[in-house]
Amino acid sequence: GQQLNQSPQSMFIQEGEDVSMNCTSSSIFNTWLWYKQDPGEGPVLLIALYKAGELTSNGRLTAQFGITRKDSFLNISASIPSDVGIYFCAGPISSGSARQLTFGSGTQLTVLP
Amino acid sequence: GAGVSQSPSNKVTEKGKDVELRCDPISGHTALYWYRQSLGQGLEFLIYFQGNSAPDKSGLPSDRFSAERTGGSVSTLTIQRTQQEDSAVYLCASSFVSGHETQYFGPGTRLLVL
């Protein structure tokens, strides 16, 4: 099935540093989604990308939809303590009657003071 | 309510017992999804409800897992004869239509099978 490979698995950075994480797939996706999950909470959608080459920002977050439609990256600039959490990439797949989301395994971000 | 709610927030059970997990979607949302998140892993699709259509059960890992959605609103995920490998966070999400970008997640139920 379609799988998303997300890297790195974890990151430890100093407050104020920029962060970059990415997601790749062997299959083409028409949409890329980036979610953040805080401890004890469900994932929250950060950015949605719908077009190859698209670059979208949401505050300090910037995400790009790769030209090949097989990859995407998420950048966080000037990290702050509240950026701590798990970041997931996701993309829709069709299975049976449903449009499901398949998720990467996540990037655990720790921001050190 | 303002968002998707799930109960209980935590559940500890003994191997072999049955458990029921509840999800209250956002009012008016017709699509409801259940996912499972194992420690350090992404989310694994379990089951999907859309309106009055037959649910898509293609993600359920075994026949010990079942789910219902009553009146097009509240959903219950039931795990019979729980096993230790069922320990995970079970997340529910809802959306207004079957639109992936508009899925709103609940806080999850943390299940521990001893």
Side-chain angles (χ1 to χ4, degrees):
Chain A
Q2 292 167 292
Q3 291 191 342
L4 298 179
N5 302 305
Q6 190 171 347
S7 64
Q9 279 190 322
S10 62
M11 301 182 74
F12 292 80
I13 61 168
Q14 296 288 333
E15 183 176 353
E17 288 184 348
D18 297 344
V19 173
S20 184
M21 58 193 80
N22 68 82
C23 207
T24 61
S25 172
S26 58
S27 304
I28 288 173
F29 279 82
N30 293 317
T31 299
W32 283 93
L33 308 172
W34 285 94
Y35 283 84
K36 183 194 177 193
Q37 186 176 27
D38 290 328
E41 301 292 330
V44 174
L45 183 65
L46 298 174
I47 292 179
L49 302 162
Y50 301 106
K51 187 178 177 181
E54 180 181 356
L55 186 71
T56 297
S57 293
N58 178 6
R60 293 178 296 105
L61 278 62
T62 302
Q64 184 156 30
F65 193 145
I67 291 291
T68 64
R69 294 196 284 160
K70 293 183 178 182
D71 64 328
S72 177
F73 71 74
L74 175 71
N75 285 346
I76 305 173
S77 63
S79 59
I80 59 178
S82 62
D83 291 333
V84 166
I86 305 175
Y87 292 79
F88 292 101
C89 60
I93 59 174
S94 295
S95 176
S97 63
R99 288 264 290 170
Q100 306 167 18
L101 285 179
T102 184
F103 286 78
S105 56
T107 294
Q108 172 75 62
L109 179 64
T110 301
V111 180
L112 304 172
Chain B
V4 177
S5 60
Q6 292 185 245
S7 62
S9 50
N10 294 280
K11 177 70 176 180
V12 180
T13 190
E14 294 179 346
K15 178 181 172 181
K17 295 284 181 66
D18 298 350
V19 294
E20 284 190 353
L21 313 179
R22 177 187 168 106
C23 172
D24 282 271
I26 293 173
S27 179
H29 280 193
T30 59
L32 187 149
Y33 304 77
W34 282 99
Y35 294 88
R36 180 169 68 176
Q37 184 178 25
S38 300
L39 187 64
Q41 300 295 315
L43 278 68
E44 173 191 5
F45 168 78
L46 296 178
I47 189 169
Y48 158 75
F49 296 89
Q50 172 58 48
N52 295 321
S53 302
D56 183 330
K57 305 178 182 179
S58 59
L60 295 179
S62 78
D63 59 7
R64 296 186 295 103
F65 288 72
S66 63
E68 291 184 342
R69 189 178 185 193
T70 54
S73 181
V74 171
S75 178
T76 301
L77 177 69
T78 301
I79 309 173
Q80 295 177 310
R81 305 181 303 281
T82 52
Q83 303 294 313
Q84 288 181 335
E85 60 262 28
D86 299 335
S87 298
V89 177
Y90 290 83
L91 290 159
C92 174
S94 71
S95 68
F96 183 65
V97 293
S98 180
H100 45 80
E101 67 272 23
T102 57
Q103 284 188 31
Y104 296 88
F105 283 83
T109 293
R110 281 142 196 83
L111 175 65
L112 178 61
V113 182
L114 301 176

